[in-house]
Structures are given as structure tokens and as C-alpha cells.
């Protein structure tokens, strides 16, 4: 049966690799598949430094640079 809503059919099947450019409030934020105006190394460092503020105080918590898992 053919879809009746082409946008509703395509969007759920898309992922970040399908998005080549993004504008927010008239400003380019992603162009040719790359973020614009974002220092990814600084952002990663800031996220890593914030782990102590967001992780549980529980010593049994396993913290990695990607995700936090509680056993």
C-alpha cells in the first residue's frame, strides 16, 4: 500500500547521516555534514569535567567518558 504522507514516511527512517545542513534562527549550525562554530574537543572536555556533578554519589556507579551505568 503506498504511503499517503511522504514526509511522515521518510523522517522516521532518517538518521543524522541524512542531514547535511541545519539552520537555527537564520544561522548555519551544520554545513556539508559538519558542525559549524563548535569546538568539539572543548565540548568533550567540558562534558567529561561535569561528570562529578551529575553522577550519583553511590561508589558502586561505573563512570565512563561515554555513559554512566549503575549496576
Amino acid at each position: 500500500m503506498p504511503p499517503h504522507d511522504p514526509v511522515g514516511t521518510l523522517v522516521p527512517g532518517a538518521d543524522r547521516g541524512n542531514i547535511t545542513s541545519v539552520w537555527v534562527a537564520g544561522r548555519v549550525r551544520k554545513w556539508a555534514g559538519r558542525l559549524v562554530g563548535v569546538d568539539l574537543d572543548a565540548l568533550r572536555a567540558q562534558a567529561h569535567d561535569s561528570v562529578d556533578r551529575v553522577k550519583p554519589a553511590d561508589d558502586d556507579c561505573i563512570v565512563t567518558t561515554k555513559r554512566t551505568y549503575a549496576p
Side-chain angles (χ1 to χ4, degrees):
M1 191 162 169
H4 298 286
D5 179 6
V7 173
T9 302
L10 292 175
V11 171
D15 62 29
R16 67 183 179 174
N18 299 107
I19 300 169
T20 59
S21 55
V22 175
W23 287 265
V24 176
R27 297 178 60 195
V28 175
R29 304 307 287 167
K30 183 176 183 179
W31 188 257
R34 311 249 340 161
L35 293 176
V36 174
V38 176
D39 182 346
L40 289 178
D41 290 331
L43 184 60
R44 284 186 190 104
Q46 183 181 9
H48 183 72
D49 292 343
S50 69
V51 168
D52 287 336
R53 292 191 307 252
V54 296
K55 75 174 184 177
D58 185 350
D59 289 338
D60 292 333
C61 183
I62 301 166
V63 178
T64 69
T65 57
K66 293 185 180 182
R67 296 191 176 151
T68 301
Y69 300 94

